[in-house]
């Protein structure tokens, strides 16, 4: 009973101290509401587009290079040049790509090709180099049963659109992005939604897919030209982007997912400073030591402070949660959950209230 009386007196003491600072209390409550109102205003000004159906893309062939590359009269390089079968495969690739490839150029080793790229200005005309990893010992040696090759293109793409050549664009096309599995900034919906050929990195618009397909066809012809020709007459290789399921395009969520923690911290910064000030001021005036000399335990003192500010902050957090979960802009929440059902919205709001506390 004595502990409860002491605890009640401590709560009464803390309440009297807060009651004497009405203006401070109003600012502590109004500041979180101000940031929440800012989110509501932004939510109302950002439109939401719903795509109820799956996004599907048309098929496209790999027979020709993009027209901008054909105007440059490019060349093909191949390694090694001491094997007639490699030279024949490269010539077949040149015929498959049509008039876009003017000539072919052979190199004995990959090191020679790299030296050519570093020193010769004519290297800028080479579209790609077809490098076979098998060491051919003589000119008439056939292809091995397991062929291994790789394609070497320029580091900087040639055919990127102007909007993606700027370094300020987060989705810039200045390199092939081979170290990234996903874009740096992922937008809702399919990546580069309006690009039927896939967009960045430009595997289609830079000719990578066309050259790869032509090399594979030429290798099949090198093994058995008659059977390969009959097979090519019956089949056609077409590519298409994977369909994307229904989604909601909401750019506001992309921005708020990084800024919401900062806004919550700023909302309660003033409250945190006042909590620290109240505790420190009590210690500076030696009030805590006087109460301990009268028999007050340390844990009871801190429990009273905790309960006092917990109840006070619960009021602010409650109103912040209500404002954030209010439906604005045609029934859209400030924090739109992944599922647009009512139970999901309720769960998000409850989780936000608990996490903020």
């Amino acid at each position: 009973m004595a502990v409860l009386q002491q605890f009640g007196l401590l709560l009464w003491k803390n309440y009297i101290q807060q009651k004497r600072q009405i203006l401070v209390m109003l600012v502590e409550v109004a500041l979180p509401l101000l940031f929440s109102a800012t989110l509501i205003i932004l939510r109302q000004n950002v439109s939401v587009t719903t795509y109820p159906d799956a996004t599907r893309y048309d098929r496209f062939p790999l027979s020709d290079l993009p027209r901008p590359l054909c105007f440059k009269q490019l060349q093909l390089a191949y390694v090694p040049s001491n094997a007639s079968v490699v030279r024949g495969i490269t010539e077949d690739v040149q015929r498959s790509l049509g008039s876009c490839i003017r000539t072919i150029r052979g190199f004995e080793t990959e090191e020679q090709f790299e030296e050519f790229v570093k020193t010769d200005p004519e290297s800028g005309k080479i579209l790609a180099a077809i490098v076979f990893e098998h060491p051919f010992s003589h000119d008439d040696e056939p292809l091995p049963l397991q062929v291994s090759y790789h394609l070497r293109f320029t580091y900087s793409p040639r055919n990127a659109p102007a909007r993606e050549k700027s370094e300020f664009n987060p989705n810039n096309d200045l390199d092939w992005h081979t170290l990234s599995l996903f874009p740096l900034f992922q937008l809702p919906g399919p990546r580069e939604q309006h690009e039927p050929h896939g967009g960045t990195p430009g595997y289609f618009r830079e000719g990578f897919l066309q050259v790869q397909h032509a090399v594979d066809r030429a290798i099949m012809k090198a093994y058995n030209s008659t059977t390969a020709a009959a097979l090519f007459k019956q089949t056609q290789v077409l590519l298409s982007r994977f369909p994307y399921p229904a989604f909601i395009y909401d750019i506001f969520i992309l921005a708020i997912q990084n800024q919401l923690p900062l806004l919550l911290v700023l909302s309660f910064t003033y409250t945190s400073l006042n909590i620290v000030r109240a505790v420190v001021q009590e210690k500076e005036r030696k009030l805590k030591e006087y109460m301990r000399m009268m028999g007050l335990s340390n844990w009871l003192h801190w429990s009273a402070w905790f309960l006092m500010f917990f109840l006070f902050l619960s009021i602010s957090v409650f109103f912040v949660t209500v404002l954030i979960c209010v439906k604005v802009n045609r029934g859209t929440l400030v924090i739109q959950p992944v599922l647009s059902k009512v139970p999901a919205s309720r769960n998000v709001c409850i989780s936000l209230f608990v996490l903020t506390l």
Side-chain angles (χ1 to χ4, degrees):
M1 184 63 69
V3 174
L4 294 179
Q5 291 179 354
Q6 292 178 359
F7 190 70
L9 289 174
L10 288 173
L11 291 178
W12 175 78
K13 182 261 298 181
N14 296 337
Y15 168 73
I16 294 299
Q17 289 182 355
Q18 294 296 322
K19 185 179 178 180
R20 295 173 180 174
Q21 302 175 354
I22 299 298
L23 182 60
V24 174
M25 292 179 59
L26 293 178
V27 173
E28 290 179 356
V29 175
L31 194 60
L33 300 182
L34 177 62
F35 282 100
S36 302
T38 304
L39 292 180
I40 294 178
I41 296 174
L42 295 176
R43 172 76 279 178
Q44 290 179 337
N45 294 328
V46 177
S47 60
V48 178
T49 305
T50 302
Y51 294 86
D53 301 324
T55 304
R56 302 181 183 276
Y57 297 91
D58 296 332
R59 298 173 296 177
F60 56 91
L62 296 176
S63 55
D64 299 321
L65 290 173
R67 187 172 297 273
L69 294 180
C70 293
F71 293 151
K72 299 179 181 180
Q73 293 296 313
L74 300 173
Q75 304 175 6
L76 272 181
Y78 62 94
V79 179
S81 60
N82 61 343
S84 59
V85 64
V86 175
R87 184 167 55 254
I89 289 175
T90 308
E91 292 174 352
D92 193 297
V93 172
Q94 180 187 9
R95 290 191 295 269
S96 299
L97 298 179
S99 59
C100 296
I101 304 299
R102 185 178 61 181
T103 57
I104 61 175
R105 184 190 295 262
F107 298 89
E108 293 185 2
T109 62
E110 194 170 3
E111 288 73 18
Q112 290 184 3
F113 169 71
E114 293 176 353
E115 186 65 23
F116 171 76
V117 171
K118 295 177 182 178
T119 59
D120 199 318
E122 292 293 322
S123 61
K125 298 181 179 180
I126 294 182
L127 172 63
I130 308 171
V131 182
F132 286 84
E133 299 178 2
H134 179 71
F136 293 91
S137 58
H138 53 86
D139 184 72
D140 296 333
E141 183 178 351
L143 283 176
L145 295 179
Q146 294 184 352
V147 180
S148 179
Y149 73 92
H150 56 271
L151 303 177
R152 300 192 61 172
F153 280 74
T154 58
Y155 173 79
S156 180
R158 307 171 185 267
N159 198 22
R163 66 179 183 276
E164 296 185 7
K165 291 183 179 181
S166 173
E167 294 185 0
F168 297 101
N169 187 348
N171 193 34
N172 62 67
D173 198 5
L174 301 179
D175 55 61
W176 292 93
H177 301 280
T178 54
L179 299 179
S180 302
L181 295 179
F182 303 96
L184 181 61
F185 296 98
Q186 298 189 57
L187 299 176
R191 178 177 58 85
E192 299 202 38
Q193 179 182 357
H194 303 292
E195 292 290 341
H197 297 151
T200 303
Y203 288 108
F204 178 82
R205 63 185 177 220
E206 299 298 328
F208 181 90
L209 296 176
Q210 293 88 330
V211 173
Q212 185 183 42
H213 179 58
V215 172
D216 292 339
R217 289 168 59 97
I219 291 175
M220 296 173 66
K221 290 181 181 180
Y223 281 118
N224 193 327
S225 59
T226 304
T227 305
L231 179 64
F232 296 154
K233 290 181 181 180
Q234 300 175 0
T235 59
Q236 183 182 12
V237 177
L238 298 174
L239 295 185
S240 176
R241 294 188 60 178
F242 275 103
Y244 196 88
F247 66 98
I248 298 176
Y249 185 83
D250 188 2
I251 198 66
F252 178 79
I253 294 299
L254 182 66
I256 202 61
Q257 67 183 1
N258 295 323
Q259 302 302 325
L260 181 60
L262 176 61
L263 292 178
L264 291 177
V265 170
L266 294 177
S267 299
F268 297 101
T269 299
Y270 186 72
T271 304
S272 302
L273 293 177
N274 282 323
I275 293 175
V276 175
R277 180 194 56 79
V279 174
V280 172
Q281 188 177 22
E282 188 180 63
K283 297 189 68 174
E284 288 179 349
R285 295 179 178 179
K286 307 298 181 179
L287 298 178
K288 179 182 176 182
E289 283 71 13
Y290 292 151
M291 288 186 291
R292 293 194 64 182
M293 291 173 61
M294 290 185 293
L296 181 67
S297 59
N298 192 39
W299 69 270
L300 197 62
H301 175 266
W302 288 113
S303 299
W305 277 118
F306 172 79
L307 182 60
M308 175 66 187
F309 289 114
F310 181 80
L311 295 177
F312 180 74
L313 288 175
S314 298
I315 300 174
S316 301
V317 172
F318 172 78
F319 286 110
V320 168
T321 306
V322 171
L323 289 177
I324 290 181
C325 293
V326 68
K327 290 187 176 182
V328 296
N329 195 7
R330 299 179 182 178
T332 304
L333 302 179
V334 174
I335 300 181
Q336 179 70 30
V338 178
L339 300 175
S340 59
K341 299 180 181 179
V342 175
S345 304
R346 188 184 302 114
N347 293 336
V348 169
C349 295
I350 295 175
S351 301
L352 177 64
F353 178 76
V354 175
L355 290 176
T356 307
L357 284 178

